[in-house]
Amino acid sequence: MTFVKPAFRHPDAPLNELGRSRQDYEGGLSTLCAGCGHDSVSAAIIDACFELNIEPHKVAKLSGIGCSSKTPAYFLSGSHSFNSVHGRMPSVATGANLANRDLIYIGISGDGDTASIGLGQFAHVVRRNLNMTYIVENNGCYGLTKGQDSATMDTGSPNKKGDINMYSPIDLARLAIEIGATFVGRSFSGDKQQLIPLIKAAISHRGFALLDVVSPCVTFNNHSESTKSYEYMRGANTDMPVDFVPMRQEITATYDSGATCEVCMHDGSVVRLYKQDNDYDIEDRQSALEATNHYAKEGKILTGLLYIQRDSEELHDVLGTARRPLNSMTEQQLCPGPRFLDSINAGLR
Amino acid sequence: MQAKQSVNDFVIKFANVNGTGSASANSMFAKAIFRMGIPVSPRNIFPSNIQGMPTWYEVRVSQDGYLGRRGGIDIMVCVNPQSIKRDVAEVESGGYFIYDSTKPLDLRLIREDVNYFGIPFTDICLREYTDARQRLLFKNVIYVGALSALLNIDFNVLKDLVADQFKGKEKLITPNIYALELGYQYAVTHFECPIGIHLERGHKLAKHIEDFDNILMDGNTAAALGAVYAGATVAAWYPITPSTSVVDAFDKYCRRLRIDPGTGKKNYAIIQAEDELSALGMVIGANWNGARAFTATSGPGVSLMSEFLGLAYFAEVPTVLIDVQRAGPSTGMPTRTQQSDVLMAAYASHGDTKHVLLFPATPAECFSMTVEAFDLAERLQTPIIIMSDLDLGMNEWMSPPLEFDGDFKYDRGKVLSAADLDGMEERFGRYKDVDGDGITYRTYPGVHPDKGAYFTRGTSRDEYAAYTEDGDEYVRNMDRLLRKFETAKSLVPEPKIKQSEMETRYGAVFFGTTASPAYEAIEILEKEGIDLDTLRIRSFPFNHEVEQFIREHDRIFVIEQNRDGQMRRLLLNETSVPAKEKLIPILEYNGLPVTARKIAGMIRNYVTHGNVTPLTRRSATEEISA
């Protein structure tokens, strides 16, 4: 690394319950383009983990390939990280989670990594309800190879060269809801107020949590006609503000009950959503699909917590694996020893 | 006509229709011979199909303990009219043809030099059973009963086997024994039993089987048991013939051995992945996180896994992969055997990669090498590929009993604990070669609140795991990986060398399932005055013993089951062989396990027509031409 972050720490920097400052959750200096939406997402992850009092070493960061997948180097330097191969992060995360269910798994991917080369693995990690947070930094293009269209690019949206995309887009949030995801949120890298609580809720969710975050590519896909630009998002974003109240904290504020929806999560935390539409039931798949569809037809992008299933069986529940992490099992627990082999041999004669 | 005569030495083949229950009857036949203390090696020759296609079961009975295919058929048991024409043609002169005589045999199928035994299997079944399913299933048991009389199989052994087979379903025992008796009675009533080729218990001690402590087991089950013993807790896989039974068996043993009696929870996890790419990704993720994990696949799966193999090699994540090879390329012949993944496995992935390969030749080695593979993977922090094949993996082999040393302790390799990290004065460098053997220290995620975290990546990095495009750093790292591969030479299983009784400058090299027929071929040739030292390769990278064997011999026959002589090419690539001409390819690649006769024939042919000087000091050529 050519650049080194200054080690200076403000003496009055606030500390969290673990006695760690926000800086303890930072990573290396970003090498992404100035203004890249992905850096805002990294910052939101840092804030979320700091505020949730997560011990950095209890987090495992995983990614695939692309601009987005570089970002785990830019947050939580105290965590182990695995930058795997293109589109294959879900499988590596699955194996890692099987080995040690006690860590927090945060996967970072992009729209190329997830919606094209990795669509297969993405679909199957959703199906398996792996206990992880999966963040797609969605900018509609391939940044690292200089701006080719990705599969999430909207029909009719032009790329930087002016070519209009005529293919149908893949909406990852809708797809995830369809195939059984138990937590699906959509957000915008420019909306920190919404993104941080959403990340906190996603981390607290027991099971697979997808956050599809529109994160503009300032270099290749931020022109005014693009539907993944800052400008477009600011106009089209129909946001449902989100609050996250961690477990054990008292809920103090009161809100207009009509449009507010509170969901008590598995660990006792509460996620609160301020809906645009009162009929929308975020615990109903069909309702969630209809709501996103309704806004899409109006040229709007609905953001917030789109769908949640509070109680679900994550992969370990389905498999019936031991509560103790598999990677902590000892030789005595695992190896049957020579005497059992004698009985095997005897049965084969 | 001369009818073949032999005791405890013959090849019998069953021609069946697949999906009719013949497999369990045939397996009972082979196991009965095994239980009589007579060496036997059965092989399924089956189609990629579930029901209705021709399928064969070939059983070699060898007093001397030869377990490879010999070549040629002495007795054909034909219960499939679809294949009868080719089945008749395949019987050697003087051999026996046992068939269903419910309908008279087409005269064109009558050979002067073959002995025919017609038994009306279908008629017996129609007479005895009313249910269509029973008629189909018991036909198989009836022919085993008839063979019991014709070949002198101990009937009590068969009865015991039936009892074993239907443990828990006792009401099926009596009808099965009855069906055996139907066949037995028909044979003794209509023919002079036993026939010229038959079995005799305790005839004489087998040459290659010192004491009859052997077991009968397939290699896939043995490998699965090896994974259990090695402490594998995660298996991720995608179904593919002929490897599927590895994970099936792992599942079976885990259900028995790995369920916590208190909680009923599993101390293991098995995932059927969406494809082979994902399967290996999961294995890598689990190993990265400190669990022992493996996958099993075949050639097409290894092709897909190449990308991840490169990652595991470069990012240095332990990985165990069992490749049960089948005939390629592409889908090839999915239910036929080959040793044709050697080069792909050795160099899988783009860029400069080399992988450690293990070559088991028996179920006992499938077990022991799988146990060893997990230690090697963690010690070397790299993929270990176990190169089995369909013949070894899916057929039952007589094998020495499985052995496991009670004092054996897992070697988890260079892993730093929290205490190790606290005790370190210098900065932890994930890719820093502290010991000079090319193997660096790693940490498991979550081990320490402040130390030991690093960034695993498939991109180039410095000794502290930070991304770098510095050419010198890259070269240092690549050279260290080469140094690690050099270290591997001292850790992998050494080859098995057998010196000929006669001094010879000529050798034969082989591996895996080619070993059994190769050893037999060497003995055939020895009788003809062609002497060869042999070396059985058991691992890659090749160590100095392989180098030395090549150096010390003038001509080396490299015997393998693929078209392109892949092991020969690997030897040319990875040893200091001075000239290509020194290594002579001896190849069989028709998808059936190579026979001893074929190997002997090819070497003999080379010696007699290859314009080479006699291979030993004896004047061999005269004897051969005689």
Side-chain angles (χ1 to χ4, degrees):
Chain A
M1 181 76 72
T2 323
F3 307 99
V4 181
K5 277 194 171 181
F8 171 76
R9 181 174 303 186
H10 196 284
D12 296 334
L15 303 178
N16 66 10
E17 286 173 18
L18 298 172
R20 290 181 183 274
S21 70
R22 188 185 180 283
Q23 201 178 19
D24 292 331
Y25 292 83
E26 290 176 356
L29 206 62
S30 171
T31 59
L32 299 174
C33 309
C36 177
H38 299 359
D39 285 333
S40 306
V41 179
S42 295
I45 294 170
I46 291 167
D47 283 336
C49 291
F50 168 69
E51 289 169 18
L52 278 179
N53 301 303
I54 289 170
E55 294 179 274
H57 76 291
K58 291 294 181 194
V59 175
K61 306 171 286 180
L62 299 111
S63 62
I65 294 294
C67 291
S68 60
S69 294
K70 293 166 87 169
T71 65
Y74 315 140
F75 61 85
L76 298 184
S77 60
S79 310
H80 274 67
S81 187
F82 199 144
N83 178 206
S84 68
V85 281
H86 203 12
R88 323 275 181 238
M89 176 267 280
S91 62
V92 177
T94 304
N97 189 309
L98 289 175
N100 185 358
R101 58 188 298 178
D102 282 353
L103 299 182
I104 293 164
Y105 293 90
I106 300 177
I108 308 291
S109 184
D111 39 308
D113 200 55
T114 292
S116 287
I117 192 168
L119 193 60
Q121 293 213 348
F122 172 71
H124 288 275
V125 76
V126 170
R127 283 182 62 228
R128 292 189 185 104
N129 199 24
L130 187 74
N131 188 15
M132 77 176 294
T133 298
Y134 190 112
I135 299 175
V136 180
E137 298 177 345
N138 188 349
N139 58 18
C141 73
Y142 285 75
L144 208 50
T145 50
K146 306 207 168 177
Q148 297 78 9
D149 297 352
S150 88
T152 64
M153 193 173 201
D154 291 310
T155 314
S157 180
N159 63 19
K160 203 178 180 185
K161 286 186 285 181
D163 300 333
I164 292 171
N165 172 48
M166 294 312 291
Y167 299 112
S168 178
I170 292 173
D171 182 329
L172 291 167
R174 289 176 58 84
L175 176 68
I177 294 169
E178 283 272 4
I179 60 179
T182 53
F183 181 114
V184 179
R186 176 141 46 210
S187 193
F188 169 42
S189 65
D191 185 357
K192 199 177 157 183
Q193 298 293 357
Q194 185 194 53
L195 184 55
I196 295 170
L198 261 184
I199 294 173
K200 288 182 187 173
I203 290 173
S204 304
H205 176 69
R206 192 169 176 280
F208 187 83
L210 170 71
L211 291 181
D212 178 14
V213 184
V214 178
S215 172
C217 174
V218 286
T219 306
F220 296 108
N221 202 12
N222 196 34
H223 39 281
S224 52
E225 307 83 43
S226 165
T227 58
K228 293 279 192 290
S229 66
Y230 281 111
E231 190 185 329
Y232 185 88
M233 264 316 277
R234 284 193 187 108
N237 187 5
T238 307
D239 68 317
M240 301 185 287
V242 177
D243 261 1
F244 180 80
V245 186
M247 59 174 169
R248 295 190 305 274
Q249 274 184 26
E250 205 181 334
I251 301 168
T252 49
T254 51
Y255 297 89
D256 167 18
S257 60
T260 307
C261 144
E262 279 184 358
V263 180
C264 183
M265 304 190 62
H266 193 271
D267 65 355
S269 307
V270 172
V271 62
R272 190 185 293 124
L273 191 74
Y274 308 91
K275 294 184 294 184
Q276 295 277 353
D277 172 358
N278 236 351
D279 293 334
Y280 177 15
D281 177 359
I282 64 160
E283 294 187 65
D284 181 277
R285 283 182 200 278
Q286 206 47 45
S287 180
L289 289 170
E290 279 164 13
T292 51
N293 207 23
H294 170 76
Y295 286 98
K297 274 185 188 157
E298 292 179 0
K300 300 285 186 188
I301 297 161
L302 186 66
T303 61
L305 178 56
L306 301 179
Y307 174 75
I308 185 169
Q309 183 183 340
R310 277 188 264 194
D311 294 308
S312 65
E313 296 213 312
E314 61 119 335
L315 183 58
H316 282 284
D317 300 327
V318 174
L319 293 175
T321 37
R323 184 60 207 87
R324 229 184 109 184
L326 292 176
N327 72 350
S328 69
M329 307 259 165
T330 63
E331 188 163 355
Q332 286 72 28
Q333 284 172 295
L334 298 174
C335 184
R339 195 170 299 168
F340 177 75
L341 207 54
D342 292 341
S343 74
I344 290 282
N345 283 323
L348 297 166
R349 290 198 175 101
Chain B
M1 177 193 40
Q2 189 77 42
K4 280 194 172 205
Q5 307 286 323
S6 76
V7 176
N8 298 346
D9 191 6
F10 59 88
V11 178
I12 180 169
K13 191 170 177 179
F14 299 82
N16 301 104
V17 180
N18 85 325
T20 58
S22 60
S24 66
N26 292 345
S27 171
M28 182 165 72
F29 168 83
K31 188 128 191 192
I33 298 172
F34 171 74
R35 285 220 177 148
M36 287 172 72
I38 300 161
V40 64
S41 55
R43 282 183 177 80
N44 250 315
I45 301 163
F46 60 103
S48 180
N49 179 270
I50 298 300
Q51 206 171 67
M53 296 273 286
T55 185
W56 292 271
Y57 189 72
E58 189 182 298
V59 182
R60 168 100 189 259
V61 178
S62 165
Q63 178 65 53
D64 289 335
Y66 296 125
L67 302 180
R69 283 179 76 224
R70 180 197 72 183
I73 305 298
D74 302 315
I75 305 168
M76 180 71 76
V77 181
C78 183
V79 266
N80 182 4
Q82 288 174 81
S83 61
I84 194 161
K85 205 170 156 192
R86 60 184 278 194
D87 294 332
V88 168
E90 215 180 328
V91 180
E92 292 200 333
S93 197
Y96 302 80
F97 191 80
I98 298 162
Y99 65 100
D100 187 349
S101 60
T102 302
K103 281 184 189 167
L105 202 59
D106 185 332
L107 289 177
R108 283 167 297 183
L109 296 170
I110 308 279
R111 278 171 55 186
E112 294 284 307
D113 61 341
V114 168
N115 305 283
Y116 288 81
F117 290 81
I119 302 174
F121 297 120
T122 306
D123 245 3
I124 297 173
C125 287
L126 289 173
R127 195 184 68 222
E128 294 286 336
Y129 307 103
T130 50
D131 179 70
R133 182 84 190 140
Q134 284 190 331
R135 284 173 174 169
L136 192 72
L137 290 173
F138 282 121
K139 193 196 272 189
N140 305 311
V141 185
I142 291 169
Y143 71 67
V144 174
L147 288 170
S148 161
L150 293 167
L151 301 179
N152 195 29
I153 299 172
D154 189 331
F155 200 80
N156 286 325
V157 170
L158 284 174
K159 277 163 71 174
D160 287 349
L161 282 166
V162 169
D164 287 356
Q165 191 182 342
F166 296 107
K167 203 170 263 176
K169 297 180 215 161
E170 274 75 14
K171 66 174 200 279
L172 294 172
I173 295 175
T174 312
N176 273 279
I177 291 176
Y178 178 71
L180 283 172
E181 275 167 351
L182 285 173
Y184 184 90
Q185 288 305 332
Y186 188 94
V188 289
T189 317
H190 295 82
F191 311 114
E192 197 180 316
C193 294
I195 58 172
I197 291 179
H198 61 267
L199 302 156
E200 276 178 25
R201 214 186 241 276
H203 182 62
K204 67 176 181 188
L205 260 182
K207 190 166 148 192
H208 294 285
I209 308 292
E210 285 162 12
D211 50 17
F212 211 88
D213 190 31
N214 280 258
I215 56 170
L216 198 61
M217 187 183 208
D218 67 86
N220 283 354
T221 305
L225 199 58
V228 172
Y229 268 75
T233 51
V234 177
W237 69 298
Y238 187 76
I240 181 171
T241 304
S243 72
T244 299
S245 55
V246 175
V247 179
D248 282 347
F250 182 73
D251 188 22
K252 187 187 78 181
Y253 286 121
C254 283
R255 280 166 199 254
R256 198 168 150 192
L257 297 162
R258 292 278 188 79
I259 308 265
D260 187 291
T263 62
K265 295 288 184 186
K266 294 173 181 172
N267 290 343
Y268 68 97
I270 299 174
I271 298 268
Q272 184 186 317
E274 55 272 28
D275 52 36
E276 286 91 345
L277 291 86
S278 182
L280 196 63
M282 291 176 191
V283 169
I284 289 169
N287 275 299
W288 172 73
N289 217 352
R292 288 190 155 185
F294 77 102
T295 188
T297 188
S298 190
V302 183
S303 288
L304 291 175
M305 290 174 181
S306 292
E307 177 191 46
F308 259 130
L309 281 169
L311 175 74
Y313 172 81
F314 195 52
E316 298 180 75
V317 183
T319 303
V320 173
L321 193 170
I322 301 168
D323 177 13
V324 188
Q325 297 169 92
R326 68 188 210 185
S330 190
T331 309
M333 291 198 285
T335 59
R336 296 288 187 266
T337 197
Q338 243 174 28
Q339 298 177 308
S340 51
D341 294 346
V342 176
L343 283 173
M344 167 176 68
Y347 300 123
S349 183
H350 53 276
D352 292 322
T353 48
K354 293 189 198 206
H355 303 296
V356 176
L357 313 180
L358 305 181
F359 298 97
T362 62
E365 274 191 344
C366 286
F367 173 77
S368 62
M369 283 186 176
T370 304
V371 174
E372 202 174 350
F374 284 90
D375 268 15
L376 283 170
E378 294 197 316
R379 291 180 73 181
L380 292 162
Q381 300 175 20
T382 200
I384 308 292
I385 308 177
I386 299 163
M387 305 292 287
S388 180
D389 64 25
L390 181 145
D391 186 22
L392 179 57
M394 289 189 74
N395 287 318
E396 291 193 294
W397 286 67
M398 253 180 48
S399 167
L402 308 181
E403 283 178 18
F404 188 79
D405 179 359
D407 296 329
F408 178 80
K409 289 273 166 286
Y410 299 160
D411 187 337
R412 305 295 309 260
K414 298 184 185 180
V415 180
L416 297 175
S417 65
D420 292 336
L421 287 163
D422 278 330
M424 277 172 69
E425 284 173 15
E426 68 277 34
R427 183 182 164 204
F428 164 63
R430 168 67 182 97
Y431 298 107
K432 205 169 169 187
D433 189 3
V434 179
D435 304 322
D437 56 2
I439 306 169
T440 59
Y441 288 82
R442 65 177 185 136
T443 55
Y444 298 149
V447 64
H448 193 288
D450 304 300
K451 296 173 179 171
Y454 70 95
F455 206 94
T456 304
R457 53 171 94 241
T459 43
S460 182
R461 71 281 155 139
D462 66 14
E463 290 175 332
Y464 298 95
Y467 179 74
T468 180
E469 287 166 9
D470 181 304
D472 292 340
E473 287 274 18
Y474 171 82
V475 168
R476 243 196 317 281
N477 185 55
M478 290 302 281
D479 290 351
R480 180 181 58 74
L481 289 173
L482 212 52
R483 196 155 63 243
K484 185 165 87 167
F485 207 65
E486 204 57 37
T487 302
K489 289 183 181 176
S490 61
L491 300 178
V492 295
E494 74 292 349
K496 294 279 185 199
I497 294 172
K498 269 193 194 170
Q499 301 282 357
S500 159
E501 282 179 22
M502 304 296 287
E503 194 182 311
T504 174
R505 287 174 296 117
Y506 296 84
V509 168
F510 41 79
F511 58 97
T513 52
T514 306
S516 285
Y519 284 129
E520 185 180 355
I522 302 302
E523 289 188 20
I524 293 170
L525 293 166
E526 191 186 8
K527 288 182 193 130
E528 300 170 7
I530 303 171
D531 293 299
L532 296 145
D533 295 332
T534 63
L535 178 139
R536 174 162 74 89
I537 291 173
R538 299 205 305 154
S539 58
F540 173 72
F542 307 121
N543 66 12
H544 74 279
E545 283 179 87
V546 178
E547 291 265 358
Q548 196 177 337
F549 187 88
I550 291 172
R551 213 167 33 242
E552 286 175 354
H553 295 85
D554 292 345
R555 281 285 184 279
I556 293 152
F557 298 96
V558 185
I559 311 164
E560 52 189 316
Q561 299 179 57
N562 57 63
R563 185 192 70 180
D564 292 342
Q566 297 191 20
M567 183 60 85
R568 176 177 171 272
R569 290 183 184 199
L570 195 62
L571 285 164
L572 288 169
N573 248 3
E574 301 285 342
T575 65
S576 51
V577 187
K580 267 186 175 179
E581 295 73 38
K582 195 167 173 173
L583 303 184
I584 301 140
I586 299 293
L587 308 169
E588 173 74 304
Y589 47 94
N590 64 5
L592 297 178
V594 65
T595 67
R597 286 180 182 174
K598 184 84 187 267
I599 294 170
M602 285 188 281
I603 295 178
R604 183 189 299 119
N605 193 42
Y606 182 88
V607 172
T608 52
H609 304 293
N611 203 19
V612 293
T613 50
L615 292 185
T616 69
R617 335 177 248 162
R618 276 187 281 175
S619 173
T621 37
E622 277 171 40
E623 284 175 49
I624 294 155
S625 53

